[in-house]
Amino acid sequence: MFTLLKIKSVAARTALISLALFVSACAAQNQASSVAPSSLAEAPQYVIGPQDELNVFVWQNPDLSVTVPVRPDGRISTPLVDDMMAASKTSQQLARDIEKQLAKYVKDPLVTVTVQTFNGPYDQQIRIVGQAAEPKAIPYRNDMTVLDAIIAVGGMTEFAAGNRAVIVRKEGGEQMSYNVRLDDLIVGGDVSANVPLLPGDILIIPQSWF
């Protein structure tokens, strides 16, 4: 009797979870204002994030030139520059900030910062959730498209409703949703369904119930 009740309880919880996922997917689909734009304005400059690896080159000062990781707190430490915030800055902005600090010790320092390993801030990463083979967040790359994102997560599951997928994007302080046709792109080979992504986009792939 106890086992039967336990099974029923598990089944009930599973049904509730499935219903919640279904409602969430439907809500995302209903909120999609239109199909995703096929072209976008120029993407914003890349900004540094935690766990990026940076090469800091100080001209004519090899002892001050180093390759350093960005710590989880977003800061870096280099010779003569301790605990400087690097996250959410472009490489050019960080280079100028380092020059200001080095100017206390070096005459007219000239610094170049190059990002060697890219992760980017969390709010700039592309998140692929739902019926992806391996849902995860991936670093944004210039000219990245939904096809690139799907390849990065190993494709979609057999239960995916690809043509009901939605891109959630922040625009002008508002959250917008756009429909994308992943089945037409991946299965049907319709390249017109391949649309560009922007930093911070969330790609939601709902489950097919039919």
Side-chain angles (χ1 to χ4, degrees):
M1 184 65 176
F2 176 77
T3 302
L4 180 59
L5 289 173
K6 186 176 181 180
I7 292 174
K8 288 183 177 179
S9 177
V10 171
R13 286 199 300 271
T14 302
L16 286 173
I17 292 171
S18 298
L19 179 61
L21 289 173
F22 176 72
V23 171
S24 176
C26 289
Q29 176 67 17
N30 290 336
Q31 291 171 1
S33 59
S34 60
V35 296
S38 59
S39 61
L40 299 170
E42 185 178 352
Q45 283 189 295
Y46 180 83
V47 293
I48 296 165
Q51 299 186 20
D52 283 358
E53 187 174 77
L54 310 178
N55 177 260
V56 180
F57 174 76
V58 185
W59 188 62
Q60 292 188 338
N61 286 274
D63 292 342
L64 302 180
S65 301
V66 292
T67 297
V68 294
V70 181
R71 302 196 302 263
D73 64 358
R75 296 177 176 274
I76 62 170
S77 293
T78 67
L80 302 181
V81 179
D82 192 34
D83 281 345
M84 172 167 284
M85 179 57 69
S88 299
K89 296 178 181 178
T90 66
S91 58
Q92 294 89 347
Q93 289 170 336
L94 180 58
R96 302 295 82 78
D97 289 345
I98 293 174
E99 286 175 350
K100 291 177 183 177
Q101 292 298 314
L102 288 179
K104 300 174 183 178
Y105 315 100
V106 178
K107 183 179 180 180
D108 298 328
L110 181 60
V111 176
T112 301
V113 174
T114 305
V115 183
Q116 305 274 47
T117 303
F118 299 84
N119 281 296
Y122 290 120
D123 63 355
Q124 298 288 295
Q125 294 179 2
I126 305 295
R127 295 174 175 84
I128 304 95
V129 297
Q131 295 301 309
E134 187 182 353
K136 61 181 176 180
I138 59 176
Y140 175 79
R141 298 288 186 269
N142 192 40
D143 295 328
M144 179 177 280
T145 66
V146 292
L147 179 59
D148 299 318
I150 292 300
I151 291 173
V153 296
M156 300 182 291
T157 73
E158 60 181 311
F159 306 108
N163 278 356
R164 291 197 289 112
V166 170
I167 293 173
V168 178
R169 174 178 296 158
K170 285 188 177 180
E171 295 181 345
E174 295 185 4
Q175 183 170 288
M176 305 293 292
S177 296
Y178 298 101
N179 178 244
V180 285
R181 299 178 290 113
L182 295 182
D183 282 339
D184 290 352
L185 173 63
I186 306 300
V187 181
D190 183 358
V191 294
S192 69
N194 188 28
V195 295
L197 295 171
L198 282 176
D201 279 355
I202 302 172
L203 177 59
I204 303 173
I205 308 173
Q207 182 174 352
S208 175
W209 292 86
F210 305 99

